[in-house]
Amino acid sequence: MSSGDTIAPPFFSILSALFILSAASIFGKIRDVIYFLLHPFKVKGRTGYAPIRDPTEDFYMRRMYGRIVDCWNRPICSAPTAWVDVMKRERARDTNGIDIAHIVPTGGHIRCLNLSSYNYLGFAAFDPYCTPRAVGAIENLGISSCSPRIHAGTTSVHVELEELVARFLGVEDAITYGMGFATNSSTIPALVGKGCLVISDALNHSSIVAGIRASSAKVKVFRHNDADHLEKLLKLAIAEGQPRSHRPWKKILVIVEGVYSMEGETCRLKEIVEVAKKYRAYTYLDEAHSIGALGSTGRGCCEHWGVNPRDVDIMMGTFTKSFGSCGGYIAGKREVVEHLRRHSPAHLYACSMAPGCVEQVTSALHVMMGMDGTDRGKQKIDQLHDNANYVRSRLLTMGLDVLGSWDSPVMPIMTYNAAKMVAFSRLTLARKLAMVVVGFPATPVLLTRTRICISASHTREDLDWAIEQMEEVVDLCMLRYRTKALYQLVESELKHHVKRHFGPEHVERATIKALATGELDLRRLKDQSAKAVEGGIGVGGNAQQQQQQQQQQQPQSTSAKPKRAAANSKAQLEGKGPATSPRNGDTHRKPLASVQAHAKAFVVSK
Amino acid sequence: MSKYRVVACLALTIVVPLVSACLVSSAYAYALSDNKQLLNFFSFRGIADAFRAFWDIVGPGGKLHPAYFLEHKGHLIIEGALILVIIYLALQHSFKVRHHAEEPLTEKEIDQLCKEWSPEPLVPSPAGVLEPPEPHVITGLEGPYVYLKGRKEKVINAASSNYLNMANNKENKTESIETVNTYGVGSCGPRGFYGTIDKHLILEKELAEFYDTEAAIIYSYDVATIASIIPAFANRKDIIIYDECCSYPIQTGCTISRARVALFKHNDMEDLTRIIENFEAEEKAKNKPLCRKLIVVEGIYANYGDMAPLKSIWEIKNKYKYRLMVDESHAFGVLGTTGRGACEHFGLKPGQVEIIAASMSHAMGSVGGFCVGDRDIVEHQRLSGSGYCFSASLPPYLAVAGSHMLRLLRPDKSGNSPGKELMSLLQKRVRSLRDQLKGIPGLKLFGGAALPSPVLHVHLAKSSGNPVEDQETLYKIADHVLVNGGVLVAVSQYSKLDIRRPPPSLVIYANVALGEKEILTVVGALRKAVRDVIKA
């Protein structure tokens, strides 16, 4: 069960949200009619050509989106780091809603706290280690290679990055592309085609959907993060074979994401990989948001759940988020990567990644792996987790409906009402907070939300100030829904998280309140457990055994950083016992899901 | 079926005792009302009495006899019921024969099937397929020369489409580096969510001014540009017609859109007209509502190096009211008096072609793509172009590099600009390169010497008939050219996903930095390589 299942907007919110939407559309229609009466002979568009948008979409864009167009696409004029300069804008023309609203910068900007960029590790702005290296690459290798990888687009930095990514992830080989979206949309068609089945999570990103569409594979969707449903689908798919012809599927690919960008939830990778392995389906893990952000050394979802990266057939990720650059990678077995080098269109036809971007990623990876000679990378990751867990606990104690998992830097706050969403966006900007709001059609109509993305470059003072500002806004928008089921679920997940990573002795103390007030300091616990393991290595044979087990599990991380790996090993071993496997731990929460599932079904079907 | 049986059994067990109880009790009541003595079921006479009493009610003349019922308006009910049945039957299309559904698989069978299923390997085994050589690794640049890993001397780079040498332009680099220092490298967010940086807005404005259109939009990658523009303008109901030689991004854009797609023969206007007329006739016959119709062509075909006859395509498009989309990737900054591309080259005015898209990674010397057009067209993409909405935006320094190139191309008051000189220089180089490449025995230059296109596809004059063999020969030639002549040329390579694989070719890109001296070297090296390889 995921935290998304437990939320259900209160009845009154549903009513008010639907009321607002219908009021907006009714007034829009009235205005359209009046416009028509005033200009009866005016014809829109050229005769003989079908309109670019269909009438409903056009109406939505002019009359609904046009009213709230200022909530999105806000331009900035600084690096997207902890504080950004958001440019002031205003509507350019008299917007009577006949044309699409036009909004332009007017000059001037406001300095806002950036709670929206995917700058998880704070590599977005000038970095004393990375930026000079990126600049050096631009100087040596030019701004762009103007050529695909197979011709003259492979430079020394590309080769270096691919080797480093493979080493960082603990897999055999990796291939890089110049854009994260294109990584998905061009790799999936190269892997699956006619006669293949893709089983995709319900909330997968649009790039995955584009990739599946571009391949001619059939697709089935399993309930978000639900390994049981995946198993059911897999069983049925294998038993029934292809539709109509009933031939067996050539291959089945299960596609999941590490952290879902609109839910902030981590994928239940362990169960999903188990199920996929059991039925011999291949797994494709999109770590766009989780690489660098999850796991004690930033190695993503696999490290977070203690899954061997070699059990995941294709590891995909992007460099846009944690690494502050652009592009994406595919990592996995050598033959898979070789196949992609031969057939992936983005490798053969697209211009290779710009050398400056490549070098930025390489140096960011150096920092994270400690190859720059400091422990800045570790500090960054610890800071990110600390920030994320702190803000999440504070928001939850404020009574907000916050989705997502612990350690995940993405936290959506449910507003349930499009009008509240817009009000929230405008009020927070007025209080110098740059925040993202998401509404229809990116989410169901009644599940509109606002989203915070935490960065390692935020200081505790920044975050405290932001929460203080938000307290006011939240009251103005009446967002304290206090959904009990969600709170309980998140608290039990916290206990689970603490048990897996810090040992069962801390479970008693692990409450959201304790985390919010600072009584429970996960960062200190982490350091303590790291120290404990470090001290124990030379003493007992038991500790050595642990170390060995760890080596078998993650050969790469151990060779790169023995100390950190040791810390890791403890966390992993604690999570390994059968009683604490997340799947077993879930059983007692099941009944709740069924009750709330109805509520969700009702909401989603709207 | 068993379900119905159960229901029927239940109904019977309830109805039969009920009816018999009714009958018995009515007979009993009748007997009582006649003041006869109580019925005695235990004696023969008693049973006979009871039967008689029963027959009095149910037999002819009795109140429960059907005739009594019919005589007392009961026939109306039966007639009514029959009429209802007739109406019901009349409303049915036909009598359907019900197929018996197959028994669903049992759990055990499913498990067995799952056990038996063996998937294909994730990727096919590479054995037996021609192994393309490892790409050469570039370690440094010096003008038109590059340093390769494992080679001491610099080699001429004829494999980059860096037409105006913008990627290595010194001022351009300085500007980009300044931007990296202030803005960092990445933008860390999609355009909608604080990923719009002022540098993007500047580039968009400059692009719109340069093309004299209302608006422009930039994408962060070249292959994703047209592949997300096409689905924004077409869906299941719509029509897309494109040239059969269009490159992969256009093909995949059409696939993703799920529109009705038709291909016309390469640069064949009659075929295009025929296909359009077929569609028109079909529309008319089925009386379909007006749908969005799109013709997609490339200004300079990336896989062939020749040009689309845009003037005649525009005339056809205008006649049949189709929208025209031109991929100007290789033509932008190369063709036309101001560098607007093939549309300008063919004398089309701004706004006549509805959608112009191009890659920023050729003449612009950056990475990414853009689209220019009316505000309606551009704003629509901002919500519907999936590569725009759902992808992180372009790193700001790459946008700055694009702006720099546009500034160079912008004419001053007298109509001259540094970019214009560059373009005429490029044309000179293209002519010289094409002239000399044409004459190499054993090779055939696609499109001939007169084309102004800087993309040169050189095929084998005598194809062996087997593309794999040709490809191997070309790899050998390219290798020979590099090792003995010091020139890096590209050999085209196509994915298995391409619906049409053009014949294997050597690809050479003209570049303003490749002077006459270098061109002579390139041609000389090729001549020698062909002689050596094809003879050997």
Side-chain angles (χ1 to χ4, degrees):
Chain A
M1 183 177 61
S2 61
S3 54
D5 288 340
T6 58
I7 47 160
F11 183 67
F12 183 71
S13 309
I14 298 177
L15 271 189
S16 68
L18 294 178
F19 171 75
I20 289 282
L21 289 174
S22 23
S25 62
I26 288 167
F27 278 106
K29 291 276 182 209
I30 293 173
R31 293 181 73 177
D32 267 4
V33 168
I34 292 175
Y35 182 86
F36 175 75
L37 290 176
L38 291 177
H39 309 87
F41 300 109
K42 206 167 179 180
V43 183
K44 233 187 128 192
R46 284 185 294 171
T47 44
Y49 292 86
I52 288 173
R53 284 178 295 277
D54 74 359
T56 355
E57 199 185 334
D58 186 55
F59 175 78
Y60 174 80
M61 207 166 152
R62 288 183 294 115
R63 294 294 184 195
M64 319 274 267
Y65 177 71
R67 284 167 177 269
I68 53 174
V69 67
D70 60 307
C71 297
W72 292 277
N73 297 309
R74 287 181 186 146
I76 59 173
C77 53
S78 71
T81 178
W83 289 82
V84 284
D85 295 331
V86 178
M87 294 161 81
K88 287 181 185 158
R89 296 189 297 176
E90 70 177 21
R91 284 173 194 265
R93 296 177 200 171
D94 173 35
T95 42
N96 48 16
I98 290 308
D99 294 318
I100 306 153
H102 197 49
I103 185 164
V104 287
T106 52
H109 54 78
I110 335 162
R111 194 147 186 81
C112 296
L113 183 68
N114 186 359
L115 291 175
S116 52
S117 290
Y118 305 136
N119 173 27
Y120 299 137
L121 294 176
F123 283 113
F126 182 88
D127 185 276
Y129 183 82
C130 304
T131 310
R133 280 175 173 72
V135 164
I138 296 175
E139 255 162 14
N140 288 335
L141 297 167
I143 293 162
S144 155
S145 54
C146 298
S147 178
R149 284 292 302 279
I150 50 158
H151 294 162
T154 304
T155 65
S156 46
V157 286
H158 288 94
V159 178
E160 191 192 349
L161 176 64
E162 287 179 355
E163 278 167 10
L164 196 66
V165 167
R167 213 172 88 192
F168 179 68
L169 294 169
V171 293
E172 287 172 13
D173 204 352
I175 177 173
T176 57
Y177 300 98
M179 181 197 196
F181 187 91
T183 309
N184 271 333
S185 66
S186 75
T187 301
I188 296 171
L191 291 173
V192 289
K194 226 173 176 176
C196 301
L197 176 69
V198 175
I199 303 191
S200 162
D201 189 286
L203 295 177
N204 270 349
H205 188 248
S206 155
S207 56
I208 295 173
V209 178
I212 297 170
R213 273 189 165 200
S215 75
S216 30
K218 285 265 175 294
V219 59
K220 286 186 180 183
V221 175
F222 72 96
R223 271 199 298 273
H224 173 56
N225 239 345
D226 188 340
D228 295 332
H229 190 223
L230 170 66
E231 181 164 7
K232 220 158 133 196
L233 277 185
L234 266 172
K235 253 175 149 174
L236 211 68
I238 296 172
E240 287 187 343
Q242 298 182 33
R244 296 173 64 218
S245 74
H246 294 292
R247 298 246 175 97
W249 294 103
K250 284 184 183 159
K251 49 195 166 190
I252 299 181
L253 187 65
V254 177
I255 306 187
V256 290
E257 284 187 45
V259 166
Y260 291 86
S261 63
M262 286 299 162
E263 324 296 307
E265 269 174 332
T266 54
C267 161
R268 299 189 169 275
L269 191 64
K270 205 159 191 161
E271 295 101 307
I272 286 170
V273 166
E274 251 169 41
V275 168
K277 254 188 143 178
K278 185 172 161 198
Y279 292 94
R280 275 163 295 179
Y282 302 106
T283 37
Y284 183 113
L285 173 64
D286 177 345
E287 294 220 80
H289 286 267
S290 57
I291 188 73
L294 282 188
S296 58
T297 59
R299 282 177 169 79
C301 206
C302 285
E303 191 183 32
H304 183 78
W305 289 115
V307 173
N308 185 347
R310 282 162 201 256
D311 284 346
V312 179
D313 295 279
I314 298 130
M315 313 253 289
M316 179 268 169
T318 64
F319 301 133
T320 322
K321 280 97 189 182
S322 301
F323 305 103
S325 178
C326 69
Y329 67 81
I330 297 283
K333 293 199 182 61
R334 181 146 288 132
E335 67 259 24
V336 174
V337 173
E338 280 302 321
H339 176 80
L340 290 178
R341 289 215 170 98
R342 207 166 297 169
H343 290 296
S344 167
H347 188 75
L348 299 177
Y349 308 135
C351 178
S352 69
M353 202 171 153
C357 300
V358 176
E359 192 54 39
Q360 163 79 16
V361 183
T362 314
S363 43
L365 275 173
H366 280 170
V367 173
M368 284 175 68
M369 293 162 86
M371 285 159 76
D372 63 332
T374 64
D375 68 339
R376 230 156 48 90
K378 189 181 156 47
Q379 295 287 342
K380 273 179 184 288
I381 295 160
D382 288 351
Q383 177 82 40
L384 173 67
H385 290 168
D386 194 38
N387 281 352
N389 290 339
Y390 174 68
V391 172
R392 187 181 295 281
S393 60
R394 281 292 298 271
L395 294 177
L396 280 164
T397 47
M398 268 162 73
L400 301 179
D401 282 5
V402 184
L403 302 189
S405 317
W406 296 99
D407 270 4
S408 146
V410 184
M411 43 198 90
I413 304 169
M414 302 307 298
T415 57
Y416 299 127
N417 184 329
K420 285 185 181 183
M421 166 187 92
V422 174
F424 189 87
S425 172
R426 290 177 181 159
L427 288 170
T428 45
L429 187 69
R431 283 168 173 74
K432 301 195 168 138
L433 292 174
M435 284 177 69
V436 164
V437 291
V438 196
F440 185 76
T443 63
V445 171
L446 291 178
L447 294 181
T448 57
R449 59 197 70 179
T450 165
R451 189 182 64 180
I452 294 180
C453 288
I454 294 297
S455 160
S457 58
H458 291 137
T459 61
R460 192 47 81 86
E461 291 79 61
D462 288 344
L463 297 173
D464 278 332
W465 177 80
I467 288 166
E468 199 180 297
Q469 299 295 314
M470 261 157 60
E471 291 263 12
E472 289 173 37
V473 180
V474 157
D475 279 335
L476 282 173
C477 298
M478 295 189 285
L479 286 183
R480 298 188 206 253
Y481 290 104
R482 298 181 203 280
T483 304
K484 234 185 193 150
L486 177 70
Y487 191 88
Q488 283 164 353
L489 175 75
V490 175
E491 191 156 76
S492 73
E493 271 178 357
L494 173 66
K495 287 191 190 299
H496 193 72
H497 178 81
V498 170
K499 195 167 165 189
R500 250 166 39 82
H501 290 277
F502 309 102
E505 65 271 23
H506 303 294
V507 169
E508 278 301 299
R509 296 196 291 135
T511 57
I512 294 172
K513 280 219 174 74
L515 199 59
T517 51
E519 280 169 38
L520 178 73
D521 191 343
L522 292 183
R523 195 172 180 180
R524 222 175 51 220
L525 280 186
K526 192 176 174 183
D527 289 344
Q528 276 171 5
S529 62
K531 260 183 206 140
V533 173
E534 222 173 285
I537 284 175
V539 186
N542 189 26
Q544 274 175 0
Q545 218 174 347
Q546 282 184 1
Q547 181 83 356
Q548 271 172 6
Q549 270 184 341
Q550 170 61 23
Q551 261 169 357
Q552 282 160 1
Q553 275 184 355
Q554 278 198 328
Q556 286 307 332
S557 68
T558 329
S559 61
K561 262 292 177 193
K563 274 187 198 169
R564 235 168 270 165
N568 213 1
S569 86
K570 181 151 192 246
Q572 278 195 357
L573 284 170
E574 278 157 8
K576 262 177 84 181
T580 55
S581 121
R583 194 140 186 218
N584 294 344
D586 268 358
T587 43
H588 67 279
R589 293 193 231 125
K590 280 278 153 158
L592 226 162
S594 60
V595 177
Q596 299 293 346
H598 291 289
K600 183 151 193 211
F602 168 67
V603 171
V604 173
S605 65
K606 278 289 149 89
Chain B
M1 247 8 256
S2 57
K3 212 189 231 170
Y4 295 112
R5 255 181 233 165
V6 169
V7 172
C9 279
L10 271 176
L12 271 181
T13 48
I14 295 168
V15 168
V16 168
L18 251 176
V19 168
S20 44
C22 269
L23 289 177
V24 168
S25 62
S26 60
Y28 204 75
Y30 180 73
L32 273 181
S33 66
D34 265 13
N35 259 343
K36 289 191 179 157
Q37 67 186 101
L38 277 176
L39 288 173
N40 183 1
F41 284 105
F42 297 105
S43 66
F44 181 74
R45 203 189 135 78
I47 291 171
D49 272 350
F51 185 76
R52 201 172 302 127
F54 173 72
W55 192 246
D56 280 346
I57 309 165
V58 179
K63 278 195 175 171
L64 282 181
H65 192 267
Y68 181 88
F69 175 65
L70 288 179
E71 279 158 15
H72 291 79
K73 307 259 163 77
H75 61 99
L76 288 180
I77 292 174
I78 291 191
E79 279 153 15
L82 285 176
I83 287 168
L84 283 180
V85 169
I86 290 166
I87 290 171
Y88 171 77
L89 289 177
L91 288 176
Q92 299 298 303
H93 291 294
S94 61
F95 293 97
K96 281 179 227 144
V97 181
R98 258 219 200 142
H99 289 287
H100 288 280
E102 280 174 39
E103 287 283 315
L105 292 168
T106 60
E107 198 68 9
K108 215 170 142 195
E109 283 168 319
I110 289 178
D111 285 343
Q112 185 61 29
L113 282 167
C114 288
K115 230 178 252 167
E116 281 168 9
W117 182 65
S118 63
E120 281 180 12
L122 183 55
V123 291
S125 134
V129 186
L130 175 66
E131 183 88 21
E134 287 277 307
H136 302 285
V137 178
I138 292 169
T139 54
L141 300 173
E142 192 187 313
Y145 296 92
V146 288
Y147 288 95
L148 296 185
K149 197 175 164 194
R151 275 182 72 93
K152 255 200 184 138
E153 317 86 66
K154 56 191 180 183
V155 299
I156 296 173
N157 181 8
S160 281
S161 54
N162 187 8
Y163 303 127
L164 301 180
N165 202 27
M166 284 295 157
N168 312 336
N169 183 306
K170 204 151 190 194
E171 293 152 38
N172 200 356
K173 272 192 199 170
T174 323
E175 260 183 64
S176 302
I177 287 168
E178 269 171 31
T179 318
V180 170
N181 281 332
T182 44
Y183 285 82
V185 173
S187 59
C188 282
R191 285 291 294 269
F193 301 157
Y194 297 92
T196 306
I197 294 171
D198 52 348
K199 303 291 177 198
H200 297 139
L201 299 178
I202 292 171
L203 177 59
E204 281 177 355
K205 201 164 155 239
E206 281 177 345
L207 274 169
E209 274 168 17
F210 180 76
Y211 270 96
D212 202 6
T213 53
E214 284 180 359
I217 177 170
I218 53 175
Y219 287 77
S220 48
Y221 209 37
D222 45 5
V223 289
T225 308
I226 201 137
S228 31
I229 297 174
I230 294 176
F233 291 105
N235 59 29
R236 258 169 225 284
K237 285 172 269 169
D238 305 322
I239 299 172
I240 304 176
I241 304 176
Y242 69 91
D243 192 294
E244 59 181 2
C245 290
C246 282
S247 54
Y248 179 77
I250 294 177
Q251 296 166 22
T252 181
C254 294
T255 318
I256 293 175
S257 75
R258 305 261 161 108
R260 283 187 289 161
V261 170
L263 280 70
F264 66 95
K265 288 205 190 92
H266 184 49
N267 282 351
D268 185 343
M269 292 306 107
E270 275 168 27
D271 198 41
L272 174 62
T273 322
R274 185 185 61 81
I275 287 172
I276 292 179
E277 275 180 350
N278 278 352
F279 270 125
E280 296 288 300
E282 192 191 325
E283 301 272 286
K284 215 171 235 173
K286 292 192 181 160
N287 207 4
K288 280 191 177 167
L290 191 61
C291 66
R292 295 179 288 186
K293 303 163 191 169
L294 203 61
I295 298 175
V296 189
V297 291
E298 288 181 45
I300 289 179
Y301 286 91
N303 294 349
Y304 291 85
D306 59 342
M307 290 150 66
L310 282 172
K311 191 82 194 175
S312 22
I313 292 176
W314 185 80
E315 273 157 13
I316 293 172
K317 153 226 135 63
N318 209 29
K319 184 177 163 201
Y320 293 99
K321 309 232 164 173
Y322 272 58
R323 288 196 174 90
L324 179 58
M325 182 188 286
V326 182
D327 182 353
E328 292 269 31
S329 290
H330 287 275
F332 160 65
V334 174
L335 294 181
T337 43
T338 57
R340 279 180 199 153
C343 294
E344 194 182 28
H345 179 84
F346 285 101
L348 295 180
K349 287 187 196 70
Q352 284 190 322
V353 175
E354 281 84 359
I355 306 162
I356 294 178
S359 157
M360 287 158 59
S361 55
H362 302 293
M364 219 177 208
S366 178
V367 174
F370 66 82
C371 172
V372 293
D374 288 352
R375 260 199 82 223
D376 238 17
I377 286 197
V378 168
E379 292 299 322
H380 177 59
Q381 289 174 45
R382 290 193 203 276
L383 284 184
S384 313
S386 54
Y388 178 88
C389 300
F390 298 108
S391 156
S393 57
L394 191 69
Y397 84 91
L398 293 173
V400 168
S403 297
H404 184 265
M405 182 262 191
L406 287 178
R407 266 205 304 284
L408 276 186
L409 287 188
R410 192 183 301 148
D412 58 9
K413 272 173 203 147
S414 56
N416 290 320
S417 68
K420 214 165 182 180
E421 285 159 32
L422 274 179
M423 272 187 299
S424 56
L425 186 64
L426 178 67
Q427 278 312 320
K428 215 173 114 198
R429 302 275 187 253
V430 170
R431 263 198 307 279
S432 145
L433 198 56
R434 280 192 173 264
D435 260 345
Q436 299 186 43
L437 275 180
K438 187 186 63 175
I440 296 179
L443 292 181
K444 196 176 67 197
L445 174 63
F446 190 87
L451 268 183
S453 141
V455 188
L456 288 84
H457 279 263
V458 185
H459 301 277
L460 287 177
K462 265 187 239 148
S463 165
S464 63
N466 179 2
V468 178
E469 225 168 272
D470 286 357
Q471 184 99 2
E472 224 169 339
T473 319
L474 289 173
Y475 281 139
K476 275 184 204 150
I477 292 175
D479 201 46
H480 188 285
V481 166
L482 179 69
V483 174
N484 300 317
V487 178
L488 181 65
V489 293
V491 178
S492 62
Q493 197 183 324
Y494 300 100
S495 160
K496 64 166 185 182
L497 299 171
D498 237 313
I499 45 171
R500 175 196 163 103
R501 291 200 213 181
S505 59
L506 283 173
V507 196
I508 294 166
Y509 295 103
N511 180 343
V512 286
L514 287 182
E516 290 301 327
K517 197 183 98 206
E518 280 89 15
I519 290 178
L520 276 181
T521 323
V522 172
V523 175
L526 261 177
R527 200 182 290 266
K528 193 161 175 292
V530 172
R531 214 169 45 219
D532 288 0
V533 170
I534 293 188
K535 277 227 182 94

